[in-house]
Amino acid sequence: MAEPPAEQPGVPDINKRWVRVTGTHGDFVLFDFTIGDPDLTVELILPFPAFLEFCATNHAPATVEPAAQAAYERLHRRSWTIPLPQRRPGGASDRLL
Amino acid sequence: MTYQLTIEPLGETIPIREGQTVLDACLRNGIFIPYQCNHGLCSTCKITVLEGEVDLGDASPFALMDFERDDKRALACCARPMSDITIEADVDIDPDALYLPVNDVVGTVVGLVDLTHDIKGVTLEVPGDGLPFQAGQYVNLTVPGLDEPRAFSLANAPSKANFPELHVRRVKDGKGTGWVHHDLKVGDKVPLSGPLGRFYVRKSAANPMIFIAGGSGLSSPKAMIEDLLEEGWSGPITLFHGVRQARDLYFDGLFRELEAKHGNFTYVPVLSESDGTDGWTGETGFVHEAAIRRYDGVFKGNKAYLCGPPLMVEASIRALMKGRLFEHDIYTESFLTKADDNAKRSPLFQAI
Amino acid sequence: MSIADKSTAKPRKLGLKERYAHLTRGLGWETTYQPMSKVFPFTDYEGIKIHDWDKWQDPFRLTMDSYWKFQAEKERKLYAVIDSFAQNNGHLNITDARYVNAIKLFLTGVSPLEYSAHRGYAHVGRHFVGAGPRIACQMQAIDELRHAQTQIHTISHYNKFFDGLHDARHMHDHVWYLSVPKSFFEDACSAGPFEFLTAISFSFEYVLTSLLFVPFMSGAAYNGDMATVTFGFSAQSDEARHMTLGLEIIKFMLEQDEGNVPIVQRWIDKWFWRGYRLLTIVAMMMDYMLPKRVMSWAEAWEIYFEQGGGALFEDLSRYGIRMPKYHEVASKEKGRLSHEVWATFYNYTQATAFHTWIPEKDELDWLSAKYPETFDQLYRPRFEYWKEQSDQGKRFYNNVLPQLCVTCQIPMIFTEPDDPKTICFRSTLYKGERYHFCSDGCKDIFLYEPEKYIQSWLPVHQIYQGNCGGATVPEVLNWYHMSLGNDNMDYQGSPDETLWNEWTADRHKSAI
């Protein structure tokens, strides 16, 4: 395999992806999906199992906004066999790295 | 260590402690910067740092982009001072706001009176500068045994800053109001924090004023009207006070007196449960219906101040809007109990 | 410290609001050597009365300078990502080549609307008297042009490998089913400036757009189409501004004059129904075209219209505005819309610029689960029958051109609101001619402005009149710029399928 190109300043790395859960709706998870750069963010919605599959496929670490935490955990308890994405680090930090 | 924080375009300078956020310092000093999440996620409180250095704190990269950081933008809820600073914020220049700092004081109970069968009047004494406020604002009162303070509007005219007056209606099973009704005694010391809130009279607009109060929501309008009449306001002022029965009216005598003395003041008490046997000859029905009758359904050109339970406030907003008075001229103070505020709202209205 | 003390200090800085007012000051001047009515000829005829243009609130107060800076930064990153996907053969990561048909529908049906929106906003941006709405419209005109561009650039990558994407602009202007989105937007653009904003900024961008973009983007992301997700970045981040314009125009009209209320209500009724009919293609995409499904159309309608829209109309009722007329019909149709439409495209696959198919068994099961009250009873037997016929070499094609609704231009395939087994059929006589409609909603719209809709360019009529290249399918397809057997017909046996199978076979081989 060829060497990956040296990272250019300011060019987003499309292999870096993040997910931030913003809410839930019934069995659906509402979340922001980011590729490479916070500017490149899109709001998405998926059923809970599809959401977990999506995070795994994209190797995207997930954080959960505090306001969505309780509802999100309820969804998770209902499908307890699937591992919960990483919680938001304690405190007010929303940094994903 | 304390620094100086200057807020443009107001030109106000306030103290800010090391480690205190810009938003907290502003709110503590009566300067309202729009904010929502209060922890660096939503970017509602975005400001520009014109002079000095701040620590940007935990502002989310989503809410504050890299190029914005380069452009000296910051989120007020996360930014902490590293020197004296000057910021520019998207604050509305409100000629009517006094931007009074929030003080923590201790008041001594000097008066306890039953205003009605379920509303207690509490008068406190605060020595020194007292508790300066703008008529319409409220205080937070610390209740023993409760984690969160309870909010009560100030009912005295601001000229009596040493004697804050609160009207407390007993809420069924309410811990805070139960304490006021059953446990509070003359001579007790009560910690207060205030003034708070953006409900005050817009004196810079010369429009006639309509006050609509429901139940113990009379406290703010009482302070506002006493303040206006004391300083000789000559424009028309109409107060509607809606209660259930005649026994729920209070300060009825005071307002009738003021009405006799000031030709520009009209007082309209309204009973929603008058059964015809109480000898009541005044207005009946819901308070907003009385307002519609008095104004023939046309409210355009007035400024309206609404204070009371959410249902009354909503019904009044609908009546006023039907009479062509809109968000820009309507000010509300709705007292919410814990159960309220679940209703889903769209972003169509911000202030009402 | 008091206010009085400060009045003697240095003059205070202007607030952002004041600075913006100074910046835009004089942009709304009163003309002197031509009457205002000649300079702004479209402001009065719709009946909307404006007394004070300065009451317009612009919460964003964006200047061109900061707009360029902000968008340039965003676009630079966006194109870097688009390039990366192209270089990394991003198309190989999609779930299945059937997915690309959703993209074909989007590129031919929706992306040209972004361009139409650009033209529409540029036009009305010229015709408002107030500087506030003029600037908001001009900014949005640029946004829409950017959206059209990024979508075309993104999807162009798929055009290197798959059929049906080669001439979206031409198809949008010629192909029968694409006259639905095309005529929707032309209806809006040929209305006055206030109706245009009610139609596009409010009814579409505010009330209905979540139904298009969120499920579509979620479908793209879940099916591995990161290229399409990238243009979602661009579109969604401008959305806050667009939605605000939609709310602001409605508030502004409603507050300026009481007489505006019934006019606005009629427009909301009309454009709700027009927009809802347009979203039929989204319903079909969600339920039938995504190899991995996000949510059903019925679920999306409940979340985004019945609940989300409910809160909005509760607030609007303070102005005396009620829910859009026939919203209850849309709710009654939610269990059948997508099935009726996919069946129609299956019937006419010979004339579509994308491939069709009968859903696989697990897909039929998903539909049965999502539509427990309608699918097994009404639609599944039909799909299974067609599958059976097709397996016996008797694939069903409908060779009769369908009757179209004069208003929405969709074939008359919808069923009675209270009877899913009877085609809903409405008609009216106007100046001696009979006109047909798919619904009461579409008929009402026609009856209010018959002179406008009798001019409709109805594809079926045009084909029969000989205006579409000829009288045979190959001639019409030629006129559509469609290649028979490549761009159209079933996915099974298509060049797309052959190519995809080769790629996946290669991948399996190299995996071993």
Side-chain angles (χ1 to χ4, degrees):
Chain A
M1 202 182 135
E3 279 279 298
E7 205 176 307
Q8 294 165 24
V11 174
D13 175 359
I14 60 166
N15 294 313
K16 287 201 178 120
R17 300 174 186 189
W18 306 280
V19 160
R20 183 168 60 134
V21 176
T22 55
T24 64
H25 202 296
D27 292 333
F28 293 98
V29 181
L30 286 83
F31 61 100
D32 287 347
F33 175 58
T34 304
I35 296 184
D37 187 289
D39 278 9
L40 305 177
T41 297
V42 66
E43 287 172 46
L44 303 175
I45 184 169
L46 283 175
F48 186 69
F51 166 77
L52 295 179
E53 179 197 334
F54 179 79
C55 294
T57 311
N58 283 284
H59 306 288
T63 57
V64 183
E65 269 191 17
Q69 189 83 41
Y72 181 77
E73 281 174 5
R74 263 197 302 282
L75 267 184
H76 176 254
R77 274 198 298 278
R78 270 191 264 158
S79 37
W80 54 274
T81 48
I82 310 164
L84 185 67
Q86 179 198 329
R87 250 173 186 270
R88 252 164 53 78
S93 171
D94 195 56
R95 284 186 199 286
L96 295 158
L97 287 172
Chain B
M1 173 93 205
T2 299
Y3 298 111
Q4 297 285 308
L5 165 62
T6 304
I7 300 108
E8 300 290 4
L10 300 176
E12 295 270 348
T13 299
I14 59 174
I16 179 168
R17 290 189 319 276
E18 195 176 0
Q20 188 179 20
T21 67
V22 169
L23 180 65
D24 188 60
C26 287
L27 294 178
R28 284 245 133 217
N29 284 280
I31 292 166
F32 186 81
I33 293 180
Y35 72 100
Q36 249 166 39
C37 75
N38 203 8
H39 53 256
L41 294 181
C42 77
S43 83
T44 308
C45 64
K46 203 175 284 172
I47 55 170
T48 306
V49 181
L50 300 175
E51 283 168 40
E53 291 295 318
V54 297
D55 172 3
L56 293 175
D58 283 330
S60 153
F62 296 93
L64 193 66
M65 294 183 193
D66 286 344
F67 79 93
E68 293 180 303
R69 291 166 198 247
D70 298 341
D71 285 351
K72 292 269 177 199
R73 310 300 301 270
L75 299 185
C77 68
C78 304
R80 293 175 169 83
M82 293 161 73
S83 67
D84 288 347
I85 50 175
T86 301
I87 64 159
E88 181 170 22
D90 190 7
V91 285
D92 281 339
I93 297 169
D94 184 344
D96 299 305
L98 293 184
Y99 306 110
L100 296 172
V102 178
N103 287 315
D104 294 321
V105 299
V106 174
T108 308
V109 178
V110 294
L112 278 173
V113 54
D114 286 324
L115 296 172
T116 72
H117 61 101
D118 66 351
I119 297 176
K120 186 82 86 180
V122 182
T123 307
L124 304 163
E125 182 172 2
V126 177
D129 291 338
L131 188 70
F133 74 106
Q134 256 186 291
Q137 290 187 297
Y138 67 92
V139 288
N140 274 333
L141 195 130
T142 305
V143 177
L146 294 186
D147 292 338
E148 283 184 33
R150 294 290 183 262
F152 295 102
S153 294
L154 290 158
N156 52 303
S159 57
K160 300 192 180 85
N162 289 106
F163 295 96
E165 173 190 330
L166 314 173
H167 302 164
V168 183
R169 193 173 73 84
R170 196 176 60 240
V171 179
K172 196 168 178 290
D173 303 325
K175 283 182 184 151
T177 63
W179 171 76
V180 171
H181 274 260
H182 302 303
D183 302 326
L184 201 62
K185 295 185 303 293
V186 171
D188 283 356
K189 304 271 188 210
V190 182
L192 302 170
S193 174
L196 298 160
R198 310 182 74 210
F199 187 61
Y200 43 79
V201 176
R202 268 58 179 184
K203 292 177 185 170
S204 62
N207 309 39
M209 297 177 196
I210 302 171
F211 292 86
I212 302 180
S216 63
L218 184 64
S219 41
S220 285
K222 175 178 172 281
M224 294 156 112
I225 290 167
E226 284 190 306
D227 184 42
L228 285 165
L229 294 178
E230 263 177 28
E231 69 178 41
W233 186 267
S234 57
I237 303 169
T238 305
L239 167 66
F240 294 90
H241 184 206
V243 296
R244 289 185 176 164
Q245 300 167 1
R247 65 171 187 153
D248 297 310
L249 285 174
Y250 62 105
F251 289 116
D252 188 58
L254 170 75
F255 287 117
R256 287 185 196 281
E257 220 171 89
L258 288 173
E259 190 179 31
K261 204 162 124 197
H262 301 274
N264 60 329
F265 175 61
T266 310
Y267 168 59
V268 187
V270 188
L271 304 191
S272 63
E273 293 177 6
S274 172
D275 55 7
T277 62
D278 53 8
W280 181 256
T281 54
E283 288 279 358
T284 56
F286 288 117
V287 63
H288 66 279
E289 296 168 341
I292 292 170
R293 279 194 294 275
R294 287 291 175 122
Y295 282 82
D296 207 13
V298 183
F299 296 104
K300 203 177 174 174
N302 290 279
K303 285 266 178 195
Y305 299 89
L306 316 177
C307 190
L311 281 176
M312 183 219 86
V313 170
E314 179 62 24
S316 301
I317 288 172
R318 284 174 183 269
L320 293 167
M321 284 181 61
K322 197 150 190 281
R324 313 298 295 162
L325 194 71
F326 299 108
E327 191 172 22
H328 185 68
D329 295 309
I330 301 175
Y331 305 90
T332 65
E333 188 78 299
S334 176
F335 29 85
L336 300 171
T337 55
K338 292 240 149 160
D340 298 320
D341 208 23
N342 291 331
K344 254 189 120 186
R345 294 288 307 269
S346 76
L348 191 67
F349 299 102
Q350 273 87 49
I352 56 173
Chain C
M1 184 169 61
S2 77
I3 298 291
D5 296 340
K6 278 180 313 238
S7 58
T8 52
K10 61 173 179 165
R12 64 171 179 76
K13 275 178 74 89
L14 294 175
L16 294 178
K17 207 182 252 183
E18 292 166 298
R19 225 183 306 156
Y20 188 74
H22 281 281
L23 192 74
T24 56
R25 181 181 51 188
L27 288 177
W29 71 89
E30 290 278 320
T31 55
T32 49
Y33 49 87
Q34 284 288 337
M36 287 291 274
S37 60
K38 270 183 129 179
V39 180
F40 298 101
F42 299 148
T43 37
D44 296 332
Y45 81 94
E46 298 174 273
I48 293 291
K49 292 189 185 69
I50 302 300
H51 304 288
D52 184 1
W53 284 97
D54 290 338
K55 284 277 187 323
W56 179 275
Q57 302 278 328
D58 178 1
F60 289 101
R61 300 193 281 275
L62 198 58
T63 60
M64 262 305 154
D65 180 56
S66 53
Y67 178 88
W68 288 140
K69 237 171 141 177
F70 194 81
Q71 301 297 354
E73 173 75 5
K74 223 167 62 177
E75 222 88 313
R76 190 181 61 76
K77 291 174 181 165
L78 187 66
Y79 277 95
V81 169
I82 293 174
D83 285 348
S84 299
F85 279 116
Q87 285 161 15
N88 290 303
N89 289 319
H91 59 281
L92 294 175
N93 292 325
I94 57 172
T95 45
D96 181 52
R98 282 188 306 162
Y99 165 78
V100 180
N101 292 290
I103 297 298
K104 297 175 189 176
L105 194 56
F106 194 92
L107 182 72
T108 54
V110 180
S111 301
L113 297 187
E114 306 272 12
Y115 185 71
S116 300
H118 156 66
R119 295 179 60 189
Y121 282 101
H123 170 67
V124 300
R126 160 65 182 80
H127 284 288
F128 281 117
V129 174
R134 280 219 310 257
I135 289 173
C137 289
Q138 285 164 9
M139 299 267 190
Q140 188 162 349
I142 303 166
D143 288 338
E144 303 291 355
L145 190 59
R146 286 179 27 246
H147 295 177
Q149 268 180 355
T150 50
Q151 287 170 21
I152 292 164
H153 285 153
T154 308
I155 297 174
S156 68
H157 178 70
Y158 288 99
N159 181 45
K160 295 180 205 157
F161 309 101
F162 299 98
D163 291 321
L165 293 156
H166 55 282
D167 210 349
R169 181 72 241 176
H170 177 87
M171 288 185 185
H172 187 75
D173 290 335
H174 294 75
V175 175
W176 60 284
Y177 57 91
L178 297 174
S179 82
V180 175
K182 180 180 165 70
S183 62
F184 169 91
F185 234 95
E186 289 181 349
D187 190 353
C189 288
S190 55
F194 289 104
E195 182 177 347
F196 176 83
L197 286 199
T198 309
I200 307 305
S201 294
F202 179 74
S203 298
F204 204 74
E205 294 262 15
Y206 192 86
V207 184
L208 297 172
T209 201
S210 304
L211 278 156
L212 175 60
F213 273 95
V214 181
F216 189 82
M217 287 306 152
S218 305
Y222 191 33
N223 283 281
D225 175 13
M226 291 305 151
T228 292
V229 172
T230 57
F231 73 65
F233 299 143
S234 174
Q236 274 191 1
S237 58
D238 298 320
E239 212 172 79
R241 216 157 10 90
H242 298 180
M243 290 170 102
T244 303
L245 177 57
L247 287 185
E248 191 49 41
I249 185 69
I250 290 291
K251 283 184 82 167
F252 184 62
M253 288 189 289
L254 293 173
E255 294 186 8
Q256 280 290 309
D257 197 281
E258 209 169 350
N260 295 343
V261 177
I263 302 175
V264 170
Q265 180 72 59
R266 185 167 45 73
W267 287 340
I268 289 176
D269 290 348
K270 169 181 172 181
W271 288 100
F272 163 77
W273 190 256
R274 295 287 270 128
Y276 164 66
R277 276 288 183 250
L278 178 62
L279 289 178
T280 301
I281 56 167
V282 180
M284 168 175 100
M285 183 206 72
M286 293 173 69
D287 285 345
Y288 286 87
M289 301 179 78
L290 298 177
K292 290 205 296 194
R293 267 90 164 152
V294 171
M295 59 168 57
S296 70
W297 165 256
E299 286 170 321
W301 187 253
E302 285 158 16
I303 293 176
Y304 293 108
F305 185 77
E306 293 176 5
Q307 294 162 25
L312 171 69
F313 280 95
E314 180 58 26
D315 282 346
L316 276 171
S317 70
R318 286 171 162 184
Y319 287 110
I321 292 291
R322 51 156 176 74
M323 282 285 275
K325 204 173 175 186
Y326 302 123
H327 71 94
E328 72 289 350
V329 175
S331 290
K332 283 177 184 172
E333 288 182 351
K334 69 188 172 194
R336 18 182 160 131
L337 196 65
S338 62
H339 320 303
E340 292 173 345
V341 178
W342 184 247
T344 306
F345 278 102
Y346 181 81
N347 273 221
Y348 291 103
T349 190
Q350 65 273 32
T352 56
F354 56 90
H355 300 301
T356 56
W357 55 87
I358 296 289
E360 304 285 340
K361 188 182 170 301
D362 62 321
E363 292 171 321
L364 291 171
D365 291 344
W366 184 87
L367 289 163
S368 296
K370 289 292 180 190
Y371 295 99
E373 275 147 37
T374 54
F375 194 66
D376 286 351
Q377 297 83 331
L378 297 164
Y379 308 109
R380 186 165 184 154
R382 182 157 65 182
F383 286 122
E384 285 171 344
Y385 176 73
W386 279 336
K387 171 87 166 64
E388 208 181 288
Q389 293 282 298
S390 176
D391 289 347
Q392 294 166 17
K394 295 185 283 187
R395 202 280 187 201
F396 175 70
Y397 296 101
N398 195 330
N399 287 314
V400 181
L401 298 186
Q403 184 175 39
L404 303 181
C405 170
V406 178
T407 304
C408 71
Q409 307 204 2
I410 297 175
M412 306 268 288
I413 56 167
F414 300 108
T415 46
E416 283 289 344
D418 295 305
D419 177 11
K421 290 181 178 171
T422 305
I423 294 288
C424 183
F425 193 88
R426 304 285 183 270
S427 76
T428 192
L429 266 179
Y430 182 73
K431 290 186 177 170
E433 294 266 359
R434 184 158 292 280
Y435 296 90
H436 301 277
F437 311 98
C438 69
S439 56
D440 293 322
C442 280
K443 184 179 169 180
D444 281 7
I445 292 166
F446 177 92
L447 288 179
Y448 192 78
E449 288 175 291
E451 285 297 326
K452 184 170 196 177
Y453 296 98
I454 60 173
Q455 303 172 59
S456 298
W457 192 94
L458 294 172
V460 169
H461 295 206
Q462 296 298 323
I463 291 170
Y464 279 137
Q465 286 169 30
N467 296 331
C468 301
T472 64
V473 172
E475 284 171 313
V476 173
L477 292 185
N478 193 40
W479 190 74
Y480 286 169
H481 292 190
M482 272 186 217
S483 159
L484 182 62
N486 295 319
D487 301 328
N488 59 353
M489 311 297 272
D490 280 338
Y491 174 70
Q492 201 180 8
S494 67
D496 277 5
E497 187 198 37
T498 308
L499 188 65
W500 182 255
N501 287 345
E502 278 169 27
W503 288 339
T504 42
D506 282 352
R507 260 191 287 182
H508 287 303
K509 252 182 272 165
S510 51
I512 297 161

